[in-house]
Structures are given as C-alpha cells and as structure tokens.
Amino acid sequence: MGAGMTPTGGTGRFLVPVAVWALTRAALLLCVFKVVTLPGPDVTSDVSVIYHGWSEVLRTGTYPLGDVTWQYPPVAALAVLSPALLPFLDYASAFFVLACLCDALVLGLLLYAGRGTGRRTAGGWVWVAGVPLLGTTAYARYDVMVTAVAVAALLAGVRHPRVLGALAAFGALLKVWPVLLLAGTTRGESTRRSWTAAVVTAAGLLVVCTAAMPGALAFLGFQRDRGTEVESLGALVFHVARQFGWQGRVELNYGSLEFLGPHVQLVSTLALGLSLVAFGWLVMWRLLARDFGVSTPADAAFTAVLLFTTTSRVISPQYMLWLVGLAAVCLAFRSSRMGLPAVLVLVATGVTQLEFPLGFVHVVTSDAQGVTLMFVRNGLLVAATLVASRRLWKETVPAPVRRDRHRLPVRPSGPAGQVSRDGTADTPASAP
C-alpha cells in the first residue's frame, strides 16, 4: 500500500473502475446478443458468419487458402477456434463471452500495474472508457484478444524482458502489429533479451504452424493486394474528389469496402510511402534515443502503432482498440507524457463509433455527414501521432543530439542500481 493511502481509499480506487466496467460491459453484451439493437450494419455478422466459416475450414486441417479475406498471421487460427473452449454455447455466443473475459483481463492487469510508487489507475480508466466508446465492434472482432496479449507483454516487460519478447512475438503472429512493442525496449541487456526471445518464439511458432497445416503464410499475398479502404487517411482524397465528379466507386474488395477507380493505386502507393517514412523516423529515433525511463517502452510502442495505423491503407474501426490498450498502459506510469495523445485517441474512438456502425452509410456515400466524420476522426489520429512523436523525441533524445545529429553522445552509465528519474534502477546503456 502506498504511503498515505488509507485502506478505504485504496479499495475505492479499484472498486469504482470495476463497477463502471461492469455496467458498461453489460450494455455491450446486451448489444452483441441483440437484446438491444443499434442502427447501422450488424457488426456481429463477422463472428457468426465469417469467423465461424473460417473455424469450419480450420477444423479440416488447413488454413482458408481460397478466401482472400483471410489476411491474418497463422496463430490467428487460435483466436478463430477459441469458441470451442465453451462447447455449451453456440459459436458467436462463446466468442462474445471470451471477448468479455479478455476485456476483464486487461482491466485487471492495468489496475494491478497501477499500484505502488510511480504508478496510477489512470490507465485502467482509459480502458474502462475506451472500449464502450468503440461500441459493439470491440466484442465482434478478435482484436480485444490481441490487445490483451500486448498489454500483458508491456507490463511484464518492466521486470521480465524475455516475457515481453515472447508475448510480442506471439501477438505478432496473431495480428502483426504487436511486433512494434519491441521498438522502445531499454538499451542494453533488456533489448538483447527481449529481441532474442521474440526471434526464438516467432521462429518456433512459424515452424509449428507451417508443419501443422498448409497455407500458414497465404495471408501475405492477400494483405499485399489490399487497396484504399474508405475509412483510411488516403480515402479522404476520394471522399472530397467525389464532390467534384470523380468517376470512382466503393466496392467490397479483399474483405473491406474500398475505393476503386482512377488514381486509387497512386494514393495507395503514397500511403505505403508514408508508412516507410514513419518507419524511417522510428529507426532514427531508436538510434538517437538515450534517456530510457520506465514508461519509455510503452510510450514508444504507442507512438509506433499510431504512426503505422494513421498511415495505413486501411483503418478499420477495431484498430482503435489497439491504440486504447497501449494508451492505457502508458497512463499506468506517472512519468509518461502521453496524456494528451491518449485523450485524442479516446475522442477519435468515440467518433469512430459514430462513423461505424452508426453512420457508415454516410461514409460509404461520401455525403456531408460522412466526410465530416472521417475528417474529424482521421484528423484526431494525425494530431495524436504528431504530438506523441514529438513528446517521445523530446523525452528520450538528449538536447545535444537534437541540435547536432552528427554527434551521438552516450550518457555515461551510472553504477549498478542507480535510481533514475522514474524511480527505477538504471541499466547500462551499452547497446542499441
């Protein structure tokens, strides 16, 4: 128990967010079980139709090779098959219950991590608020399961770098993006341990998956051929162009509604170029950063996922769940400077529910309401990305390096056990 914390106050810090979580999640369950019906398309059909169909194929001993909508790494099969853990429920019901359990696990991890010196329960509150802001999509996709793995990885990595590496690799083979959790690992032994564990875990899982069933890597080709999805940053070009007679259309393509027509390939290529620029900035930051605090791995992971989400050719609504989870981990640490980007992500998540599913017809038709929603949501993501990147840079790259990038002074390592500004023991900054 922290200094000055009364038993009653300490208990209240955790009981209140748990109570709010229970109320909001009960409302979500009522929606996905269709006791309450919301306007817009039925988001649960992905589970009852698509996921269920994939599970039937997977049970035959092969990945869905003939289905271009299967764009997920091989370990995603575990998420799709997971409803079999609850055989007394039908497929969709079991999936929703498991999604809720993963949601509860994330809250438990964040509240547990929020105890003690240098920590706070703000991270738990970000998660409590963020999931219902996204709405029923949060329980109708397997992203909540992936986010649970990512949150566990970052929190465990504070003391156990190998666990961070192993979980990041497992998460990456669930849905790729958790590989970015390794971007901000502390220099030196922590980086060597976590990256080595990630490589070994990923290699082992890939060997098992490719040996177990054919088609483990088929997702790579399907993902490569995706175009510009109607909710992406690049899609704003065509939402506006439609107002001036652009002769394109919106069609279901590779599992999502995409723009097809003149200049779409150019915009898709430019989006890939932006992602390469984001990657270049991330590599440069990694080379120049020297001041690693206890919150740096989470701050860097949050920033990296923001960079690649915002510049992606596809920004599906469920992607917001990744950002909410990582923002929550950042705010579990008092030293994190990601407060404003986290708030921007929360607001963007609420706007996302307004555009999908509630106002998706307006987005697809590019009317005034749809275009406004997309500009607001994507504008918030751009703002969050720029603010997070700037704050990460200022917190971790020493001023002499920022002034002259040709000189790379390395801060001398203190004696073992030296306490950093975050109240944690420093480790020698001996390797990138």
Side-chain angles (χ1 to χ4, degrees), residues 154-427:
L154 285 173
L155 294 176
V158 175
R159 295 182 180 273
H160 306 289
R162 288 192 179 94
V163 176
L164 164 61
L167 288 176
F170 180 76
L173 291 178
L174 272 172
K175 205 162 189 181
V176 181
W177 68 267
V179 71
L180 296 172
L181 303 181
L182 299 171
T185 53
T186 305
R187 286 172 171 268
E189 192 64 24
S190 291
T191 290
R192 283 192 291 272
R193 289 179 179 179
S194 58
W195 290 18
T196 300
V199 170
V200 171
T201 302
L205 287 172
L206 281 173
V207 168
V208 171
C209 291
T210 53
M213 292 192 293
L217 301 180
F219 77 98
L220 293 173
F222 298 155
Q223 187 65 240
R224 178 196 61 214
D225 296 330
R226 297 195 75 165
T228 298
E229 189 255 348
V230 294
E231 296 163 281
S232 65
L233 184 64
L236 294 177
V237 172
F238 302 110
H239 283 300
V240 172
R242 279 178 129 183
Q243 316 306 314
F244 298 94
W246 177 70
Q247 298 300 309
R249 62 196 184 280
V250 173
E251 287 187 7
L252 185 64
N253 193 46
Y254 288 97
S256 63
L257 288 171
E258 298 180 354
F259 280 114
L260 299 176
H263 312 301
V264 172
Q265 185 57 49
L266 173 62
V267 171
S268 297
T269 302
L270 289 174
L272 287 173
L274 278 178
S275 293
L276 287 175
V277 171
F279 179 74
W281 182 91
L282 199 60
V283 170
M284 183 172 66
W285 168 80
R286 177 75 197 185
L287 293 173
L288 299 180
R290 292 294 181 272
D291 298 328
F292 285 73
V294 68
S295 67
T296 301
D299 291 348
F302 178 49
T303 303
V305 176
L306 267 170
L307 283 165
F308 285 97
T309 299
T310 303
T311 59
S312 173
R313 293 170 296 170
V314 179
I315 307 181
S316 296
Q318 61 268 25
Y319 293 8
M320 301 304 299
L321 206 57
W322 315 344
L323 298 172
V324 169
L326 296 181
V329 176
C330 292
L331 266 61
F333 301 101
R334 292 188 182 277
S335 59
S336 176
R337 296 284 315 283
M338 295 296 158
L340 177 56
V343 170
L344 292 172
V345 163
L346 286 176
V347 177
T349 303
V351 176
T352 298
Q353 183 176 185
L354 294 179
E355 62 92 358
F356 183 89
L358 300 182
F360 198 53
V361 64
H362 301 287
V363 174
V364 172
T365 57
S366 301
D367 66 15
Q369 180 178 332
V371 173
T372 300
L373 286 171
M374 293 319 310
F375 265 97
V376 171
R377 198 283 297 274
N378 290 341
L380 287 165
L381 285 179
V382 170
T385 302
L386 294 176
V387 173
S389 299
R390 182 173 183 272
R391 291 188 174 189
L392 178 67
W393 186 278
K394 289 187 68 176
E395 282 293 295
T396 57
V397 178
V401 179
R402 294 201 298 269
R403 288 195 297 267
D404 184 0
R405 293 177 189 171
H406 296 291
R407 292 184 293 123
L408 302 179
V410 179
R411 186 179 58 183
S413 301
Q418 178 177 322
V419 177
S420 74
R421 59 185 169 84
D422 299 299
T424 59
D426 280 334
T427 54

Side-chain angles (χ1 to χ4, degrees), residues 16-268:
V16 175
V18 168
V20 176
W21 178 91
L23 289 172
T24 53
R25 276 35 174 199
L28 276 182
L29 287 172
L30 288 174
C31 291
V32 294
F33 280 110
K34 299 182 181 177
V35 177
V36 175
T37 303
L38 297 177
D42 178 14
V43 300
T44 65
S45 62
D46 272 32
V47 175
S48 58
V49 178
I50 299 176
Y51 286 14
H52 193 194
W54 287 339
S55 72
E56 295 299 317
V57 175
L58 289 165
R59 286 173 180 272
T60 67
T62 181
Y63 286 92
L65 295 173
D67 187 348
V68 296
T69 63
W70 175 260
Q71 299 169 10
Y72 308 108
V75 177
L78 295 180
V80 173
L81 292 170
S82 63
L85 296 171
L86 304 176
F88 48 88
L89 294 174
D90 64 81
Y91 183 90
S93 298
F95 187 92
F96 301 144
V97 170
L98 290 172
C100 186
L101 289 175
C102 289
D103 180 1
L105 173 62
V106 173
L107 178 64
L109 290 171
L110 289 167
L111 292 180
Y112 183 82
R115 306 176 309 158
T117 305
R119 306 297 183 89
R120 55 186 176 181
T121 57
W125 278 111
V126 169
W127 183 253
V128 168
V131 174
L133 281 174
L134 184 59
T136 50
T137 303
Y139 280 7
R141 306 290 188 272
Y142 81 89
D143 296 80
V144 67
M145 301 175 183
V146 186
T147 304
V149 173
V151 169
L154 285 173
L155 294 176
V158 175
R159 295 182 180 273
H160 306 289
R162 288 192 179 94
V163 176
L164 164 61
L167 288 176
F170 180 76
L173 291 178
L174 272 172
K175 205 162 189 181
V176 181
W177 68 267
V179 71
L180 296 172
L181 303 181
L182 299 171
T185 53
T186 305
R187 286 172 171 268
E189 192 64 24
S190 291
T191 290
R192 283 192 291 272
R193 289 179 179 179
S194 58
W195 290 18
T196 300
V199 170
V200 171
T201 302
L205 287 172
L206 281 173
V207 168
V208 171
C209 291
T210 53
M213 292 192 293
L217 301 180
F219 77 98
L220 293 173
F222 298 155
Q223 187 65 240
R224 178 196 61 214
D225 296 330
R226 297 195 75 165
T228 298
E229 189 255 348
V230 294
E231 296 163 281
S232 65
L233 184 64
L236 294 177
V237 172
F238 302 110
H239 283 300
V240 172
R242 279 178 129 183
Q243 316 306 314
F244 298 94
W246 177 70
Q247 298 300 309
R249 62 196 184 280
V250 173
E251 287 187 7
L252 185 64
N253 193 46
Y254 288 97
S256 63
L257 288 171
E258 298 180 354
F259 280 114
L260 299 176
H263 312 301
V264 172
Q265 185 57 49
L266 173 62
V267 171
S268 297

